[in-house]
Amino acid sequence: MSAVPPDWLTKGLPHIWLPYTQMLTSPPPLPVVATQGSRIKLADGRELVDGVASWWTACHGYNHPHIAGAVTRQLRDMPHVMFGGLAHAPALTLARRLVELLPKPLDRVFFCDSGSVAVEVAMKMAVQFWLNQGAGGRTKFLSFKGGYHGDTFATMAVCDPEEGMHSLFSNVLTKQVIADLPVDEASEWAFDAALDAHAGALAAILVEPLAQGAGGMIFHDPAVLRKLRRAADRHGILLIFDEVFTGFGRTGTMFACEAAGVVPDIIALSKALTGGTMGLAATVATSTVFEAFSSTDPMRALMHGPTFMANPLACAAANASLDLFASEPRLRQVAAIAAALARDLEPCRDFAGVRDVRVQGAIGVVELDQINDMNELKRRFVESGVWVRPFRNIVYLTPAFTIAEAELKRLTDAVVAVLGAWSKAW
Ligand SMILES: *Cc1c(COP(=O)(O)O)cnc(C)c1O
């Protein structure tokens, strides 16, 4: 705490614009100089045990040598080349391997750079799927309260309208149909009614399967996804799974859709795709969706193409990440983390002001009534030597799957200690 902040921080801070941060009242960000495994090293020499895995991306821990090696080799051969008219092994190999991992008939991969754009592409695919078949009236989406699908304009419109971080823009956003997830009889009835009312205008139903992430870390039963699949089939509309958060083991299976035995028509993947190394995302569609774009008419081609799509460095990192899923027992590690989180966060349930403690895979959540002094809570976690980033009324842990048992215990101990003090004092 004592050390002078580094020069680059004091000189650069007046020129940087931070995400979702009121910079006038927030403490400055912590200067970080290195990462390793589940550790974040700060400029003053302190090390924090990482409970966030950098927004859920670094599933193998930081600086995994297998990924670093693959990226270094790729950097030597070809850091980037355009994907229009040219193809390269990292991208085509990755596409084939993703399809091998995903349930059939998901089998056509489109690459882009971020989760928001992967969802945008999924939405565009759905709308154009119908346009290409002469059903231009199907332009709307049904999505769910508690959902989060990104920060761009199309994705903001399908986030939770109030809880989402975008209520400010409600007048600018396209109006979509936002329903409660059909988790009980009343919400099922309302969902069916919303669907009946709008079915003719809908291109697709869009959902984060099993776990809604940035919208509040809310979990639902796999049966809900079967219900959505049946409803989509009944009305002949597409089903899109946004697995940007849940994809690659986070909820306990490689993809959340596997837990329900449900296959969506389109799936969006990103966060853990490169093991947290670089930005990359994929939108994968079934052969049926792809067929609607197959034509002699150039205007029926998918009208999208980001400049840096399928960046070879990012694809090399993703291929190396998939190697690790194949060679190391990641899903067993997730199951062990789930058991430890459930056991070691449980004491929080007895604290005043704690509303719920819940675990799904390697996601542990303590939901509070409210957090009055967010900056103070964050400060106390750092003081305890851990990197935990509460949001709204949620304190959560989403560690790397490779986290050591003792490091995970330090995280859960810190959450119990800090929230124990919080429930008494503030
Ligand atoms: C993070 C996230 C996104 C947006 O991804 P970005 O890479 O931040 O654009 C979309 N959907 C879900 C479910 C996410 O968790």
Side-chain angles (χ1 to χ4, degrees), residues 56 114-116 119 148-150 208 242 244-245 270-271:
W56 329 325
S114 73
S116 299
V119 176
Y148 174 82
H149 299 288
E208 295 162 87
D242 176 354
V244 169
F245 172 40
S270 181
K271 285 197 163 82

Side-chain angles (χ1 to χ4, degrees), residues 234-259:
R234 192 167 62 244
H235 291 280
I237 57 185
L238 298 177
L239 180 61
I240 303 172
F241 280 1
D242 176 354
E243 292 222 29
V244 169
F245 172 40
T246 55
F248 305 101
R250 184 54 68 181
T251 60
T253 48
M254 194 61 177
F255 302 100
C257 61
E258 290 169 39

Side-chain angles (χ1 to χ4, degrees), residues 188-249:
E188 270 191 37
W189 189 89
F191 167 73
D192 286 337
L195 207 51
D196 286 339
H198 298 278
L202 289 176
I205 298 172
L206 169 63
V207 70
E208 295 162 87
L210 284 198
Q212 293 176 305
M217 295 287 173
I218 309 160
F219 309 140
H220 55 260
D221 195 88
V224 171
L225 302 172
R226 291 191 282 272
K227 162 109 193 143
L228 297 186
R229 180 73 269 180
R230 280 196 302 272
D233 290 345
R234 192 167 62 244
H235 291 280
I237 57 185
L238 298 177
L239 180 61
I240 303 172
F241 280 1
D242 176 354
E243 292 222 29
V244 169
F245 172 40
T246 55
F248 305 101

Side-chain angles (χ1 to χ4, degrees), residues 104-117:
K104 282 176 194 20
L106 287 165
D107 76 350
R108 195 64 72 153
V109 182
F110 187 93
F111 287 116
C112 59
D113 314 308
S114 73
S116 299
V117 174

